[in-house]
Amino acid sequence: MVCAFTGHRPEKLPWKTDEQDPRCLALKAVLEQRLQSLYDSGCRTFLCGMARGCDTYFAEAVVRLRQRWTDVRLIAYPGCGGQENRWPEDDRARYTALLQQCDEIVMTDVAYAHGCMLRRNAAMIRRADCLLSVYDGSGGGTGHTVSLARQKGIPIESVWL
């Protein structure tokens, strides 16, 4: 079973980049619980777009899950080569470290081009059996990904704190 993930970037989160905010800490704990539950139900492969914010939280949680269960696979779907180039230095370093932990990297576009993030999201949904999302109901890439999953008829589990 394959689970894709979608979630908001820091700009859309109530705590922005303050990961010590109790709401962020609570979200990370819920993601850990949901991942364990997905693992218990047979999911072994997790797809992540590797964006800042919730994607990073998710990927880090999958890496921690893999410390307990060695058959867990993390597959990165960066939107394009160099997606991290304009990110703050700390985020770039975190991204690079996470990519090194991935079992596979699927690049839908080699360089930034209009729509590359949407193409990335669609590629993940095509491969997924379920979707875990951190979604507040607004539009944007996360909303688009949730909509694609609905169209495909795959189960969606949304988390929002």
Side-chain angles (χ1 to χ4, degrees), residues 144-155:
H144 183 259
T145 306
V146 169
S147 178
L148 288 175
R150 281 190 186 120
Q151 290 170 17
K152 185 180 175 188
I154 68 171

Side-chain angles (χ1 to χ4, degrees), residues 14-52:
W15 53 84
K16 306 296 183 204
T17 59
D18 179 8
E19 292 185 41
Q20 295 308 307
D21 184 290
R23 296 166 294 182
C24 183
L25 296 172
L27 173 61
K28 289 179 179 185
V30 168
L31 286 175
E32 298 257 354
Q33 293 166 355
R34 300 291 167 87
L35 284 171
Q36 183 60 59
S37 177
L38 284 162
Y39 181 87
D40 292 343
S41 67
C43 189
R44 299 295 183 267
T45 303
F46 299 90
L47 314 178
C48 183
M50 306 302 289
R52 293 172 57 242

Side-chain angles (χ1 to χ4, degrees), residues 33-90:
Q33 293 166 355
R34 300 291 167 87
L35 284 171
Q36 183 60 59
S37 177
L38 284 162
Y39 181 87
D40 292 343
S41 67
C43 189
R44 299 295 183 267
T45 303
F46 299 90
L47 314 178
C48 183
M50 306 302 289
R52 293 172 57 242
C54 292
D55 279 11
T56 300
Y57 309 159
F58 174 79
E60 290 172 342
V62 172
V63 168
R64 284 189 294 278
L65 183 68
R66 188 169 45 205
Q67 292 170 354
R68 292 189 306 272
W69 309 105
T70 58
D71 56 345
V72 169
R73 297 185 70 230
L74 175 59
I75 301 176
Y77 274 79
C80 61
Q83 80 172 7
E84 77 285 6
N85 289 346
R86 294 187 178 170
W87 296 356
E89 185 177 334
D90 289 347

